[in-house]
């Protein structure tokens, strides 16, 4: 992750953009959470950013494994939403994965019909998944609670 000619500071601006976006959904995260993700996965991620008038308005953080690229965190601002600018970051990430020889690009779990329509634009293959709900002990729930507040993860009580 490197800064560009726009004065964009990747970790800081990406974190700020994502924190503002999740706040709209009633979630709260800390800058340190993003710093940790960027530090731990430094050699296995790329950040694709779109600008309007030198202002970052959408981004896509993509994780890479030996065969698969995963479009993971995609924050956007209200300006990007109004012109659907988030599509450009996804296209750039998919193109980069193809050009780099990855076999798959994982668009993640689809929970809404509007998200399904968005993914259809990219020719996504639908793969049925079985989802199981497991009951954990109170100790396990408490241990997982802190992890569930990391960016990109759903709070446990939102699932239950």
């Amino acid at each position: 992750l490197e800064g560009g000619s726009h004065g964009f500071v990747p970790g800081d601006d990406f974190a700020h953009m994502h924190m503002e976006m999740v706040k709209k959904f009633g979630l709260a995260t800390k800058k340190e959470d993003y710093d940790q993700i960027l530090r731990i996965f430094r050699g296995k991620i790329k950040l694709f950013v779109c600008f309007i008038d030198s202002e970052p308005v959408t981004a896509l953080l993509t994780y890479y494994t030996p065969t698969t690229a995963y479009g993971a965190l995609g924050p956007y601002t209200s300006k990007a939403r109004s012109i659907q600018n988030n599509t450009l970051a996804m296209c750039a990430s998919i193109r980069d994965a193809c050009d780099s020889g990855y076999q798959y690009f994982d668009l993640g779990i689809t929970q809404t019909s509007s998200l399904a329509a968005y993914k259809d634009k990219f020719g996504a293959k639908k793969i049925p998944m079985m989802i199981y709900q497991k009951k954990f002990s109170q100790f396990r729930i408490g241990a997982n609670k802190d992890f569930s507040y990391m960016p990109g993860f759903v709070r446990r009580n939102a699932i239950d």
Side-chain angles (χ1 to χ4, degrees):
L1 300 174
E2 298 175 4
S5 60
H6 298 279
F8 177 71
V9 179
D12 295 345
D13 290 339
F14 172 75
H16 176 72
M17 214 180 339
H18 201 269
M19 286 188 295
E20 288 299 313
M21 186 187 78
V22 299
K23 193 185 302 181
K24 296 174 191 172
F25 301 106
L27 302 172
T29 57
K30 300 176 293 200
K31 168 98 171 48
E32 294 79 29
D33 297 337
Y34 300 95
D35 291 341
Q36 185 176 12
I37 289 171
L38 296 176
R39 187 183 72 252
I40 291 171
F41 296 103
R42 179 164 286 291
K44 297 181 180 183
I45 58 176
K46 288 185 182 178
L47 182 59
F48 298 87
V49 182
C50 297
F51 296 87
I52 295 178
D53 299 328
S54 298
E55 175 189 344
V57 293
T58 187
L60 180 65
L61 184 69
T62 305
Y63 292 85
Y64 296 87
T65 63
T67 61
T68 307
Y70 298 85
L73 300 174
Y76 56 87
T77 66
S78 57
K79 189 184 283 190
R81 186 178 177 93
S82 66
I83 60 169
Q84 297 184 353
N85 196 11
N86 53 347
T87 302
L88 182 58
M90 181 68 76
C91 287
S93 182
I94 292 171
R95 181 178 294 124
D96 179 72
C98 291
D99 292 346
S100 298
Y102 287 90
Q103 295 173 331
Y104 307 99
F105 190 94
D106 190 329
L107 295 170
I109 295 172
T110 306
Q111 298 171 329
T112 65
S113 58
S114 62
L115 185 56
Y118 174 76
K119 291 177 180 182
D120 282 343
K121 293 179 193 177
F122 302 102
K125 179 179 179 182
K126 295 175 182 157
I127 301 172
M129 296 179 64
M130 297 295 293
I131 298 175
Y132 298 94
Q133 184 174 7
K134 185 174 181 178
K135 298 286 183 182
F136 292 106
S137 69
Q138 290 299 329
F139 174 77
R140 179 84 181 257
I141 291 171
N144 287 337
K145 185 176 180 183
D146 290 334
F147 180 74
S148 68
Y149 286 100
M150 292 287 291
F153 296 94
V154 177
R155 270 192 268 158
R156 176 151 210 85
N157 64 358
I159 298 171
D160 295 337

